[in-house]
Amino acid sequence: MSAYVITGGRRLHGSLDVQGSKNSALPILAATVLVNGRCVVHNCPKLSDTECTIKILRSLGCSVRREGNTVTVDATTVSCSHIPEELMHEMRSSVVFLGAIVGRTGKATLCAPGGCEIGLRPIDLHLYAVRRLGVEVDECYGNITCRVKNKLEGNKITFSFPSVGATENAILLAATATGTTTIVNAAREPEISDLCAFLTSCGARISGAGESIITIEGVEQLHGCEHRVICDRIVASTYLIAGAVTGGDIELKNTEPVHLNAVLPLLEEAGCNVSVRCKSIRIKNPVGLKRIDKIITQPYPGFPTDSQALFTTLTSVAKGTSVIVENIFESRFKHVPELIRMGAKIRAEGRVAVVDGVPKLYGAEVFSPDLRGGAALVVAGLCAEGVTTVNNVGYIDRGYEDFSDNLSVLNADIRRV
Ligand code: EPZ
């Protein structure tokens, strides 16, 4: 697998357009299966995860064309309701196809997505939601078979945890069910609102997107539409932190600053100057970083778990001790041993990491443990003294479009080997 070789110590400066959101593009591309027509999705990032999603669409019988960041899907000829096992294993979040496939074909077969590097990733809430709408679910030896008993009927779905994926599957299945579905304790992430905006453009009738209670009035069928995916708030936070740890001056354009309401104040607490103007965010850090008292990951609108690894890197080179609590996933500190190899002083126990900031990190050979942990190691390499090699960058390719090219444009010394 490829690696990034980074020579640290250069201040990052300049401006960058931030890519479209991976976690919005995936459910929206899955939602096109529900549409008996043609959908045009703009600002769809080129990632291994989006390319895997396109492969699944084609395996279901859709015709898909990508031109730059625009993906056109014609799902008129959807004929299959099975997600190939190798594609499920390639991307476990393919489980978001479940609601769309059952909604369109009345059945679905897929292998249990299984865990990943950051946790067990159960799908009990997904299966609870589809059962509530009239779907029979059989789980046998890791295979899941779903079939609509009589017809899809709206119902009340109450989640014990505001799961993003389960909320997406519930919305997708309810969109064309008969009657009204009310989702209680729904996830409130911006990607949920973006999915609902896409479905509404296709004729769905949804209210409460972005709130804890979402109501969906099922419609007979959905028609094609054109939609632009929102900016990726986690990728935006990644570039902001790259600017912060290198003492740089970076401006991000085409962002949605409101989606970073839980992130920007922590960057200011760390001593950064953050200025927001319309769709742009500018960060400067001329005087070095200070500790952040507590970083506690929560469901949106709380601090996002996907930015936790990046803040672990930032606090590693801040003055003082910071405390990080990871409430969402059970093993999302795998980047910590790698940062320690670079000279960081971190004690991680269970869901808590205590970070004692050090004056500087030192280049080393490290290994990406997962998508966001890998990005955190690249950012550490940018501010470390000497050369850092980050291996297993395939993880990073899942979520970051043109990562090394963009960092090079911002004055980083990084190359992919
Ligand atoms: C989505 O994953 C994102 N992925 C994740 O981003 C993100 O970290 C996560 O939401 C939380 O924001 C995509 O959108 C493709 P969840 P998802 O269901 O939907 C437990 C990245 O880096 N849970 O909200 O899988 C689960 O184990 C990725 O881009 C159940 O117990 O997240 C976890 O502890 C990583 N049962 C918690 O809920 C279920 O049925 C949050 O999971 C479902 C989830």
Side-chain angles (χ1 to χ4, degrees):
M1 203 185 267
S2 307
Y4 284 132
V5 177
I6 305 150
T7 303
R10 295 164 68 133
R11 289 178 65 254
L12 296 198
H13 52 79
S15 68
L16 187 72
D17 281 354
V18 179
Q19 72 180 65
S21 163
K22 164 178 86 81
N23 292 348
S24 186
L26 298 188
I28 285 174
L29 289 173
T32 62
V33 169
L34 279 169
V35 176
N36 187 0
R38 196 170 72 102
C39 294
V40 182
V41 180
H42 297 293
N43 202 29
C44 182
K46 275 188 213 157
L47 308 164
S48 50
D49 272 10
T50 48
E51 294 321 293
C52 179
T53 302
I54 288 171
K55 280 192 264 184
I56 293 173
L57 287 171
R58 288 185 174 132
S59 75
L60 295 171
C62 302
S63 70
V64 187
R65 193 175 67 250
R66 179 189 268 280
E67 287 159 308
N69 288 109
T70 294
V71 175
T72 302
V73 183
D74 186 330
T76 314
T77 53
V78 164
S79 53
C80 172
S81 59
H82 169 69
I83 299 183
E85 184 151 350
E86 68 278 7
L87 293 179
M88 268 311 290
H89 288 305
E90 188 177 326
M91 187 181 72
R92 62 162 304 286
S93 42
S94 311
V95 69
V96 78
F97 272 93
L98 178 61
I101 295 172
V102 175
R104 179 65 187 272
T105 69
K107 58 185 189 299
T109 53
L110 64 158
C111 67
C116 74
E117 308 74 21
I118 62 175
L120 287 172
R121 314 295 293 274
I123 59 167
D124 55 309
L125 297 174
H126 297 245
L127 302 183
Y128 154 76
V130 300
R131 286 186 170 111
R132 289 289 291 172
L133 298 186
V135 177
E136 225 161 45
V137 178
D138 288 320
E139 300 173 75
C140 172
Y141 302 119
N143 286 313
I144 298 168
T145 307
C146 297
R147 181 175 300 282
V148 175
K149 273 185 293 215
N150 306 315
K151 63 176 179 172
L152 285 175
E153 282 201 273
N155 203 344
K156 183 175 181 181
I157 295 169
T158 302
F159 284 128
S160 54
F161 180 87
S163 155
V164 172
T167 301
E168 288 164 350
N169 263 325
I171 292 167
L172 289 166
L173 196 55
T176 56
T178 305
T180 303
T181 296
T182 304
I183 304 173
V184 179
N185 198 21
R188 299 176 55 194
E189 274 70 2
E191 294 77 31
I192 300 283
S193 301
D194 202 26
L195 172 63
C196 290
F198 169 81
L199 289 168
T200 302
S201 300
C202 293
R205 293 167 57 196
I206 303 172
S207 58
E211 300 304 322
S212 296
I213 296 181
I214 300 178
T215 304
I216 302 116
E217 302 285 341
V219 294
E220 278 292 305
Q221 72 168 11
L222 299 174
H223 53 73
C225 80
E226 198 152 351
H227 181 81
R228 180 180 176 78
V229 169
I230 56 172
C231 159
D232 194 308
R233 59 196 168 99
I234 306 303
V235 170
S237 70
T238 304
Y239 288 116
L240 290 173
I241 290 169
V245 301
T246 58
D249 178 352
I250 284 183
E251 180 180 30
L252 301 183
K253 296 186 289 184
N254 299 329
T255 65
E256 303 285 349
V258 71
H259 293 166
L260 288 159
N261 274 353
V263 170
L264 301 184
L266 294 187
L267 292 173
E268 290 174 325
E269 183 181 340
C272 299
N273 302 329
V274 178
S275 51
V276 170
R277 197 171 30 113
C278 191
K279 294 254 179 195
S280 293
I281 304 171
R282 185 169 181 182
I283 190 165
K284 288 191 227 178
N285 178 261
V287 295
L289 294 165
K290 298 182 295 183
R291 64 187 277 271
I292 296 173
D293 187 31
K294 280 194 298 296
I295 297 169
I296 303 174
T297 68
Q298 299 285 356
Y300 194 90
F303 180 86
T305 173
D306 293 348
S307 296
Q308 176 263 103
L310 293 146
F311 271 80
T312 309
T313 292
L314 181 145
T315 51
S316 295
V317 289
K319 204 185 296 303
T321 299
S322 307
V323 175
I324 299 174
V325 182
E326 173 53 66
N327 288 312
I328 306 296
F329 289 106
E330 63 268 27
S331 56
R332 202 165 197 179
F333 283 132
K334 288 187 175 156
H335 48 285
V336 166
E338 302 301 308
L339 288 171
I340 291 170
R341 287 162 56 81
M342 298 176 72
K345 288 202 178 347
I346 308 171
R347 286 160 289 155
E349 192 63 46
R351 290 178 179 259
V352 180
V354 178
V355 185
D356 296 314
V358 294
K360 67 168 66 172
L361 297 176
Y362 296 90
E365 172 123 35
V366 292
F367 292 82
S368 295
D370 53 60
L371 163 55
R372 307 299 173 184
L377 295 174
V378 170
V379 171
L382 293 173
C383 67
E385 182 178 287
V387 178
T388 301
T389 301
V390 180
N391 294 289
N392 297 346
V393 297
Y395 283 116
I396 303 175
D397 294 342
R398 291 187 43 218
Y400 289 82
E401 184 181 54
D402 301 333
F403 195 36
S404 52
D405 294 345
N406 288 336
L407 289 170
S408 300
V409 163
L410 296 173
N411 189 43
D413 179 346
I414 178 172
R415 59 195 168 82
R416 186 181 180 118
V417 297

